[in-house]
Amino acid sequence: MIFTGFKRKTNQFFFKKKIKEFNLQNSDSTSNKVKSVLFFCDSEEKQVELIEQISEFLLVDKELIKPFVFLNKKVKNKKVENAIYPSDFGWFGNIKSEELSSCLTKKYDLLINYNKVDNLYANIVLLQCNSAFNVGFSYLNNKLYQLLISCEKGDFKCFNSELKKYLTILNKL
């Protein structure tokens, strides 16, 4: 549809406008220990595995880990839990999903982005999320993260080991 392109352009406009405000804000309480985690990924199969890994290496209870999966299209007769689609976003960065909106009101100590590509919708959510410390792969937008880790795309084991090392150095574990 023709309006899909217009909607995406308005979301890009919203992102460019909000990124300036995001960079001016100082993160309050960046020295706290990690107790709650929010993470994004782009594969529903990896979601459960990543929850296990995060819980194990960060020593965080699984109930305090909130995952979101970014998928491009909804599949009929298949419900993916914690999935975010482009249709969950309205004009100018407006979030239509109630589950995502309620999640963004909560405070998280750590946000991890496991996406393999720089996703506009993940970036919009990240701008609106209330997180103290943001971590992602080095090929992602460096203005949104306090820590970027250089690993191969999809090498979550290397990424997690490096993340644990840096969080220990920063006294967050």
Side-chain angles (χ1 to χ4, degrees):
M1 243 174 122
I2 192 165
F3 290 114
T4 306
F6 287 136
K7 186 172 87 169
R8 182 166 174 77
K9 284 290 185 189
T10 64
N11 283 322
Q12 288 173 336
F13 175 74
F14 171 81
F15 175 74
K16 287 179 183 178
K17 180 181 173 187
K18 284 292 191 179
I19 191 83
K20 294 174 186 172
E21 295 172 17
F22 182 79
N23 289 331
L24 295 175
Q25 294 174 350
N26 288 334
S27 184
D28 60 346
S29 74
T30 56
S31 62
N32 290 344
K33 301 280 186 193
V34 174
K35 296 178 190 125
S36 60
V37 178
L38 172 68
F39 76 87
F40 306 137
C41 65
D42 52 9
S43 170
E44 64 179 297
E45 294 84 26
K46 291 285 187 181
Q47 182 178 357
V48 176
E49 180 184 329
L50 287 172
I51 290 173
E52 293 289 331
Q53 289 177 10
I54 292 170
S55 175
E56 183 180 312
F57 83 86
L58 292 180
L59 303 174
V60 176
D61 191 23
K62 291 179 185 174
E63 284 93 37
L64 297 174
I65 300 172
K66 182 69 176 171
F68 276 106
V69 180
F70 285 94
L71 300 173
N72 289 327
K73 293 182 181 180
K74 289 184 180 180
V75 178
K76 289 184 179 181
N77 302 327
K78 185 177 181 185
K79 173 88 169 111
V80 179
E81 195 168 327
N82 299 324
I84 300 173
Y85 304 97
S87 62
D88 291 334
F89 294 86
W91 298 83
F92 296 102
N94 183 27
I95 296 175
K96 296 191 285 186
S97 169
E98 289 180 27
E99 181 183 3
L100 182 57
S101 295
S102 67
C103 176
L104 294 178
T105 60
K106 297 176 185 169
K107 176 80 172 150
Y108 294 96
D109 297 319
L110 180 65
L111 183 142
I112 306 170
N113 190 349
Y114 287 109
N115 284 328
K116 294 177 184 140
V117 295
D118 203 14
N119 185 334
L120 172 66
Y121 298 110
N123 292 342
I124 289 173
V125 171
L126 199 138
L127 284 175
Q128 298 179 26
C129 185
N130 190 7
S131 62
F133 197 73
N134 301 338
V135 180
F137 282 97
S138 62
Y139 52 82
L140 299 173
N141 189 334
N142 63 353
K143 296 177 183 175
L144 298 172
Y145 302 95
Q146 284 86 13
L147 178 64
L148 291 168
I149 298 174
S150 180
C151 292
E152 292 288 325
K153 287 184 181 183
D155 189 1
F156 300 133
K157 190 171 184 175
C158 173
F159 182 88
N160 287 338
S161 67
E162 291 294 311
L163 177 59
K164 181 178 181 178
K165 178 173 74 174
Y166 286 113
L167 289 177
T168 305
I169 291 170
L170 295 170
N171 200 22
K172 292 192 171 288
L173 292 182

